[in-house]
Amino acid sequence: MKSILVTSFGAFPGHPINSSSEVLDHLKRELVIKGCEIHFEKLPVSYSDTKEFISSFWEKTSPDLAVHIGVYTEKFISLECQCNETEYITQDINGKIPNDGNWPFMKTKLPLELVLSKISCQHPLLQVKLSSDAGKFLCQYSFHNSLHYGNGNSVFIHVPKMEDILINETSILIIDIINELMALT
């Protein structure tokens, strides 16, 4: 049986209700793929908790695909293609920064351009773009860890903040992205 990991993040300063969590809650109710076990996890905005969960999940479960969802300030949805070389210096909700040094450039192995071309016309209310900058906070950190432990079989999807997001439509779009990715794996 195939398996998928889908994560989001909890609240943090500036985002008392994290739109990625709202999307995850919707996905828990709506995402069903025959012959596939789907694991959902809402992560705290904590470097240590995020790394521990992602590394142990990949080690124990080895999913076919990991889809990580996070909030950002743009008004469109972005499919992150890569993680840039960086050292993480922004404090998490515990006032901590990771002590694992500078992370290297890493790129997903997933065919995101192909997926974007297939799903864009199906969702006219939403603007979706490919991105090469997942940020320098927990979003990219989780993506970095997942790419590292999952051998590139991960994607990070940034969604708009609560006041700019259409939760139902965004959730349906992400379901379509996951279905397309699973059809290609």
Side-chain angles (χ1 to χ4, degrees):
M1 178 177 283
K2 290 189 172 193
S3 68
I4 302 171
L5 169 63
V6 183
T7 69
S8 71
F9 288 104
F12 65 102
H15 298 275
I17 300 173
N18 191 324
S19 58
S20 72
S21 292
E22 298 297 307
V23 169
L24 186 79
D25 289 343
H26 193 275
L27 293 175
K28 285 180 186 177
R29 293 187 302 272
E30 301 295 329
L31 180 59
V32 177
I33 300 174
K34 187 176 179 180
C36 189
E37 186 175 1
I38 305 169
H39 307 269
F40 299 97
E41 187 71 26
K42 193 176 297 186
L43 300 169
V45 180
S46 160
Y47 291 108
S48 60
D49 292 336
T50 295
K51 183 174 186 172
E52 173 60 30
F53 176 81
I54 290 173
S55 63
S56 66
F57 193 89
W58 274 106
E59 183 179 304
K60 293 175 186 170
T61 309
S62 191
D64 297 280
L65 173 66
V67 178
H68 306 285
I69 307 166
V71 64
Y72 75 149
T73 58
E74 298 292 343
K75 293 186 179 192
F76 55 87
I77 297 160
S78 67
L79 302 179
E80 302 298 342
C81 300
Q82 67 191 38
C83 292
N84 297 305
E85 182 178 340
T86 194
E87 184 172 0
Y88 295 94
I89 57 172
T90 304
Q91 293 181 350
D92 65 14
I93 59 170
N94 301 316
K96 306 283 186 190
I97 58 171
N99 61 357
D100 43 14
N102 205 16
W103 280 77
F105 172 85
M106 298 175 92
K107 191 169 183 167
T108 185
K109 291 182 179 176
L110 302 172
L112 297 182
E113 288 180 12
L114 176 62
V115 170
L116 180 61
S117 70
K118 288 183 174 189
I119 57 107
S120 288
C121 61
Q122 299 168 12
H123 299 277
L125 293 177
L126 302 174
Q127 186 179 14
V128 186
K129 298 180 181 182
L130 295 178
S131 170
S132 59
D133 185 2
K136 293 183 177 155
F137 191 37
L138 260 294
C139 291
Q140 181 167 276
Y141 188 74
S142 65
F143 191 27
H144 247 142
N145 275 276
S146 195
L147 289 172
H148 173 74
Y149 292 105
N151 198 28
N153 293 317
S154 303
V155 62
F156 195 96
I157 303 172
H158 266 123
V159 298
K161 58 190 185 295
M162 281 304 293
E163 54 267 23
D164 296 325
I165 191 170
L166 300 169
I167 296 290
N168 187 52
E169 290 81 356
T170 299
S171 301
I172 293 167
L173 170 85
I174 292 174
I175 289 169
D176 288 348
I177 290 169
I178 292 170
N179 280 317
E180 287 293 335
L181 288 169
M182 288 306 290
L184 296 167
T185 59

